[in-house]
Amino acid sequence: MNHLKIVKTKNILTTLIIMSVLGCSNSQTNEKASSILVDTTKTIATGSSYTNKRVDLSDDKENDIDKKETEISIKNKSDYSDKFIDGLKKLREKKITLSDNLLILNDTDTIYFPETPEIGRRITLTGKKGNLAVAVIIKRLNYTTIDYKIEMTEFDKSNHTQNGKADIASSFYFGDESDTSDKTGISYFSTEFTDLRENDCYTYIRLGYEKETGPYLLGKIIKNCNEKIPDVDLDNFPTLIEK
């Protein structure tokens, strides 16, 4: 009997030892698994931050193309305003040549500058609606620019006078403007000259001829920042006619 108890006791001790060993082994295995899982998570996080890395596009070929300025050749710079020339650089043409009254694109397409109004001629145009009278005095300085003076008088209320220079758009060759003579109701092509200033102030002067109206230059203005006088546009003020 005593021998049997000893055997049973040994068997129990053996079982406990085995279970203890297995328990330690499982604990170490779980720790290793946890360690592996943490390491894997770190790797994924590193990978994610890499994929979101900022890409430097300075070497992008398309960007290099956009940065290339238009090649501009000018016969006589005084024939054109600086604003007009600066605007040509933004048109993304490969080459532009300015020679007298010609604008040549990429050595293939030739465009004439508008002939209206005549260079060097001083012209006064007037118009009236209600209590508001407007006079525009212009002189064409070169192929792109006019010198102008606008006098606006609202009888018994206020006056406004503005002097400046206005230029045709650098992209004028994309198409002509069109206005309608209030006298005949007939549409005619016009050349638009623009003077843009600070505080979103703008002046557009549009000039052209309409045969039925006669040999007189016609004008329309679009203008704001007139002090106490309301804004003037194509719809709320009639055609100005050369005196």
Side-chain angles (χ1 to χ4, degrees), residues 25-236:
S25 177
N26 288 337
S27 176
Q28 292 176 354
T29 301
N30 289 338
E31 288 180 1
K32 289 180 179 179
S34 297
S35 177
I36 292 171
L37 180 60
V38 171
D39 291 341
T40 302
T41 303
K42 288 180 180 179
T43 303
I44 292 172
T46 303
S48 298
S49 63
Y50 179 79
T51 56
N52 291 329
K53 183 179 179 181
R54 183 178 178 182
V55 179
D56 185 1
L57 297 177
S58 60
D59 294 331
D60 191 292
K61 291 183 179 179
E62 292 185 1
N63 284 356
D64 288 342
I65 292 174
D66 291 341
K67 290 178 182 178
K68 291 182 179 178
E69 286 192 356
T70 301
E71 179 186 345
I72 300 177
S73 175
I74 304 173
K75 179 180 178 181
N76 185 357
K77 193 173 181 181
S78 64
D79 284 339
Y80 324 92
S81 72
D82 291 336
K83 287 183 180 180
F84 180 83
I85 295 171
D86 288 341
L88 293 178
K89 299 174 184 178
K90 301 175 183 179
L91 297 179
R92 295 187 178 182
E93 300 286 353
K94 291 182 179 179
K95 182 179 180 181
I96 295 177
T97 301
L98 299 175
S99 179
D100 299 326
N101 66 334
L102 297 178
L103 184 151
I104 305 169
L105 296 176
N106 306 314
D107 295 326
T108 55
D109 300 322
T110 300
I111 303 102
Y112 286 90
F113 280 91
E115 296 180 352
T116 304
E118 182 182 346
I119 293 177
R121 184 182 171 202
R122 189 178 184 87
I123 304 171
T124 300
L125 303 97
T126 60
K128 180 182 177 183
K129 181 179 181 181
N131 291 329
L132 179 61
V134 175
V136 179
I137 304 167
I138 63 163
K139 182 180 180 181
R140 183 89 174 260
L141 301 177
N142 53 31
Y143 294 114
T144 64
T145 310
I146 61 170
D147 185 85
Y148 74 87
K149 179 180 181 180
I150 296 177
E151 298 176 340
M152 308 177 76
T153 302
E154 196 170 22
F155 297 113
D156 299 327
K157 289 187 178 181
S158 57
N159 300 308
H160 173 70
T161 300
Q162 179 173 307
N163 297 276
K165 290 180 174 57
D167 305 284
I168 63 171
S170 301
S171 57
F172 74 91
Y173 55 87
F174 287 167
D176 294 318
E177 302 293 342
S178 177
D179 291 315
T180 302
S181 169
D182 293 315
K183 186 175 181 179
T184 64
I186 298 175
S187 296
Y188 61 94
F189 292 117
S190 61
T191 303
E192 184 176 82
F193 297 84
T194 304
D195 181 13
L196 302 179
R197 302 190 175 190
E198 295 179 351
N199 302 318
D200 296 324
C201 293
Y202 54 77
T203 299
Y204 298 89
I205 301 173
R206 298 157 68 109
L207 304 168
Y209 286 98
E210 190 277 298
K211 291 182 180 180
E212 295 298 325
T213 303
Y216 306 108
L217 185 66
L218 303 181
K220 299 283 280 186
I221 63 171
I222 306 169
K223 188 178 182 317
N224 68 352
C225 299
N226 306 322
E227 298 179 65
K228 296 181 180 180
I229 297 176
D231 298 352
V232 174
D233 58 38
L234 298 178
D235 298 322
N236 68 8

